[in-house]
Amino acid sequence: MNEPQPMVLHFISGKYRGGQFPIQPGQEIVIGRSSDLDMVLVEDMVSRKHSKISYLPDGIYIQDLGSTNGTFVNGERIKRTKLKEGDRILVGTSILKLEKDGFEPSPESEAARQGRRPRSGQSTMAGSLEEIPLPDLMQLFSTSRKSGVLVINNQDTKGKIHFREGRIVYASINDNHDLGPQKAIYRMIAWDKGFFELQAPTDEEFMIELDEPVESLLMEGMRLKDEIGRYKDHVPGLSARLKVNLPLGAPLRALEPALLDMFQHVLNDGRVESILNESPESDLETVRLLSELVKKKYIVVD
């Protein structure tokens, strides 16, 4: 039987981000706002005694101690549950990831131990999509009934998702409101790189608000991501550029109307992202039509 191994709780979001807290076999860690506890998180959303983590002979367990705002593991509110490596724990605005021991003392770690604010002074939920994929974040904010604007920076592209008590009411990419909130959400779900920050709610009003459950948006977004991925050989990505394959080997009159319209989009602006933005069709249908034009050799990747 394998001996229990030392583990660490790695802060991957929140004002203690970057900090690590070691946990040894047989150890018990009480988390909360009170200064006499093992792990002190100084923020209003954390109860004085919030939760407890116990490293027992048969594994690591976390238990909520009747906190006001709850303890969440992988997006699910828990009373008591067994943890495994890679699990993500939400306490207040801090997200901790259970990992194998690689502990190196840091200012953030010591701040959590001593109940001090970390040097960064960061008070919002922020982190990397490589650490916390966007679908996990959406599920987490939905379950914990968060309100605010989730801002995602993906290279030169900025996405915004507006949450109201856990519901997604609106979304946009680069403040392009012509794109439509549904299209924006589905496109952002495919992002796997970038940085996020949950900012305070705004008083913005939107002409169109989403009313679908977050779970439905996620399921459809993941389905579209998989389906669009099938066409990557012909349409490699948003940054790709397409051009007309001159001289044309077949007459344009041979194209059905939907393909002819898509051919026109390529003539107007060959960038895949621009074509997707301008197309009245869904991203999936647009990519399918572009793929068809590539296969018929009317257009090529530039």
Side-chain angles (χ1 to χ4, degrees), residues 134-135 154 185-193 221-222 225:
L134 185 55
N154 178 27
I185 279 283
Y186 294 152
R187 198 175 296 176
M188 281 188 274
I189 285 173
W191 294 357
D192 56 8
K193 290 182 173 60
M222 296 302 290
K225 177 183 177 182

Side-chain angles (χ1 to χ4, degrees), residues 208-280:
I208 301 173
E209 287 197 358
L210 296 169
D211 58 4
E212 294 180 56
V214 172
E215 292 78 7
S216 298
L217 291 169
L218 278 172
M219 287 178 62
E220 181 64 8
M222 296 302 290
R223 183 189 72 82
L224 290 174
K225 177 183 177 182
D226 291 342
E227 290 289 325
I228 289 173
R230 293 167 49 195
Y231 299 103
K232 65 181 179 182
D233 289 342
H234 294 140
V235 186
L238 293 179
S239 61
R241 183 176 287 273
L242 304 169
K243 66 179 183 180
V244 176
N245 187 22
L246 296 175
L248 288 175
L252 291 177
R253 65 174 179 272
L255 293 175
E256 60 182 83
L259 286 172
L260 192 57
D261 288 345
M262 200 55 57
F263 184 85
Q264 182 69 51
H265 281 300
V266 175
L267 279 175
N268 291 341
D269 190 334
R271 292 176 299 162
V272 171
E273 185 174 14
S274 297
I275 296 169
L276 290 170
N277 290 347
E278 295 298 324
S279 173

